């Protein structure tokens, strides 16, 4: 038996984003050396810089992305540059040195018209530039580094900044009534739980090309908002129902975004807890 510990290095790109920060935070209790790379440390659209950083067989968890879903409709070049070319650069560099890529993707690669949870191999059909650019990134990774794992997730929040939970808390303080859509269904996912899942995945020797990971269960944005109000001691009836038709946005939102975690569990990964319990934990600090 060797009397030394082999420390596995994990590079986290996009380390100052919502998810990247949680991966760094949650890695503190793990026996891995985790190096967070902000956009300033590593711009994933710069292939030479990517090759320089990924020069040995580390694991890369890519949390860097263009995530401005509405802005992408009129800013496609930037979205594709980061979400397709950036992902391809990481895949290329990883394949060249035998590094492993864990890449985060989205429910927006699907059309949102399903009536049952999406499985990883279900047909894709993005309806937005953002979704199409993320799908292009997935395809580049599949071609250039097929031993990678792409983890699709959805409705990610931490409860700070401008995410849905933080926005509902702000609006609760500012308004008597908040109107929220009832006709979009998905799985709210606490970024800290997803971070745990990604770090557990990084410990698996191998995994399928595509997996889905969200907190368990499904709800509408309306019910999610009501749950947030209830959690913070506000009257949930101050959340009033509306529809997507009354709340039009530049990029259409999927009506149904539920991702099946069956494949995630089948490879031995711990299923993420139910969304309601995760919301409670997120607000408990
Ligand atoms: N948020 C959600 O609801 C959601 C849902 C499904 C899937 N996802 C996926 O989850 C992943 C993480 O999303 P998130 O919510 O953490 O997004 P986020 O908060 O917007 O973080 C993305 C990070 O990537 C950085 N970045 C942008 N361009 C870059 C580049 N060229 N090189 C290096 N870094 C760059 C951003 O830096 P700047 O801030 O400086 O631009 C930001 O720190 C993404 O793949 C996203 O598609 C998110």
């Amino acid at each position: 038996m060797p009397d030394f510990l082999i420390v596995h290095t994990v590079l986290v790109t996009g380390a100052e984003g919502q998810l990247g920060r949680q991966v760094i935070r949650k890695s503190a209790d793990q026996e891995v050396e985790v190096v967070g790379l902000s956009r300033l440390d590593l711009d994933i659209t710069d292939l030479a810089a990517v090759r320089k950083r990924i020069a040995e067989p580390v694991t890369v968890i890519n949390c860097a992305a263009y995530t401005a879903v509405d802005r992408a409709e009129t800013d496609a070049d930037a979205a594709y540059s980061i979400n397709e070319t950036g992902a391809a650069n990481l895949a290329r560099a990883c394949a060249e040195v035998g590094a492993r890529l864990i890449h985060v993707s989205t429910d927006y690669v699907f059309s949102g018209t399903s009536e049952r949870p999406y499985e990883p191999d279900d047909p894709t059909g993005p309806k937005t530039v953002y979704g199409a650019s993320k799908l292009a990134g997935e395809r580049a990774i599949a071609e250039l580094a097929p031993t990678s794992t792409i983890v699709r997730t959805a409705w990610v929040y931490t409860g700070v900044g401008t995410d849905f939970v933080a926005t509902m808390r702000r609006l609760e303080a500012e308004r008597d009534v908040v109107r929220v859509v009832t006709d979009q269904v998905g799985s709210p996912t606490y970024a800290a739980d997803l971070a745990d899942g990604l770090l557990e995945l990084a410990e698996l020797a191998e995994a399928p090309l595509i997996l889905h990971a969200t907190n368990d269960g499904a709800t509408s944005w309306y019910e999610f908002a009501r749950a947030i109000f209830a959690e913070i001691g506000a009257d949930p009836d101050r959340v009033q129902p509306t529809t997507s038709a009354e709340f039009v946005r530049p990029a259409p939102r999927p009506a149904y975004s539920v991702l099946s975690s069956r494949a995630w569990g089948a490879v031995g990964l711990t299923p993420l807890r139910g969304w309601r319990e995760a919301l409670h934990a997120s607000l408990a600090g």
Side-chain angles (χ1 to χ4, degrees):
M1 285 281 286
D3 60 358
F4 55 86
L5 186 67
I6 298 173
V7 179
H8 178 201
T9 301
V10 177
L11 300 183
V12 180
T13 50
E16 292 200 349
Q18 172 178 227
L19 179 59
R21 280 176 193 273
Q22 294 299 315
V23 175
I24 300 297
R25 189 172 75 84
K26 299 296 262 181
S27 67
D29 10 297
Q30 310 249 337
E31 280 181 359
V32 285
E33 185 196 7
V34 175
V35 180
L37 300 171
S38 71
R39 186 182 191 143
L40 284 179
D41 298 322
L42 179 63
D43 178 345
I44 64 168
T45 65
D46 179 345
L47 179 58
V50 168
R51 280 188 164 128
K52 205 167 157 194
R53 280 287 184 174
I54 305 172
E56 50 188 86
V58 296
T59 296
V60 178
I61 301 181
N62 179 33
C63 298
Y66 182 107
T67 57
V69 174
D70 286 327
R71 185 152 32 97
E73 293 298 308
T74 51
D75 194 19
D77 287 352
Y80 274 88
S81 164
I82 298 164
N83 292 343
E84 181 183 31
T85 308
N89 289 344
L90 292 170
R92 200 180 294 278
C94 283
E96 284 167 0
V97 298
R100 175 167 175 225
L101 177 59
I102 294 175
H103 172 79
V104 182
S105 192
T106 171
D107 56 304
Y108 280 60
V109 299
F110 293 115
S111 65
T113 53
S114 180
E115 292 177 352
R116 55 142 181 90
Y118 284 104
E119 296 293 342
D121 57 358
D122 276 338
T124 51
K127 298 277 198 222
T128 60
V129 170
Y130 165 73
S133 69
K134 291 291 290 184
L135 181 60
E138 289 190 4
R139 288 184 171 151
I141 290 169
E143 188 190 325
L144 295 166
T147 58
S148 305
T149 300
I150 294 160
V151 179
R152 297 188 187 127
T153 189
W155 290 27
V156 181
Y157 69 89
T158 30
V160 294
T162 55
D163 69 31
F164 186 79
V165 173
T167 301
M168 286 302 121
R169 294 188 72 174
R170 178 175 57 78
L171 293 177
E172 189 279 328
E174 290 173 4
R175 298 185 192 175
D176 291 338
V177 166
V178 179
R179 288 162 64 78
V180 182
V181 297
T182 55
D183 56 358
Q184 295 169 25
V185 172
S187 306
T189 300
Y190 182 28
D193 288 0
L194 179 59
D196 281 335
L198 294 173
L199 288 163
E200 189 184 352
L201 172 60
E203 292 301 299
L204 272 193
E206 53 186 45
L209 177 65
I210 304 178
L211 291 173
H212 291 169
T214 61
N215 278 125
D216 193 38
T219 189
S220 67
W221 287 116
Y222 166 72
E223 291 293 348
F224 186 33
R226 289 177 63 91
I228 296 163
F229 271 53
E231 278 292 337
I232 61 175
D235 180 0
D237 289 342
R238 289 171 53 209
V239 180
Q240 305 270 304
T242 186
T243 64
S244 306
E246 290 175 53
F247 194 72
V248 176
R249 303 179 68 167
R253 291 335 196 230
Y256 185 86
S257 270
V258 185
L259 302 177
S260 165
S261 296
R262 200 154 48 114
W264 180 269
V267 295
L269 291 162
T270 309
L272 276 57
R273 61 186 153 179
W275 72 264
R276 191 68 182 72
E277 186 189 342
L279 173 66
H280 177 76
S282 76
L283 291 169

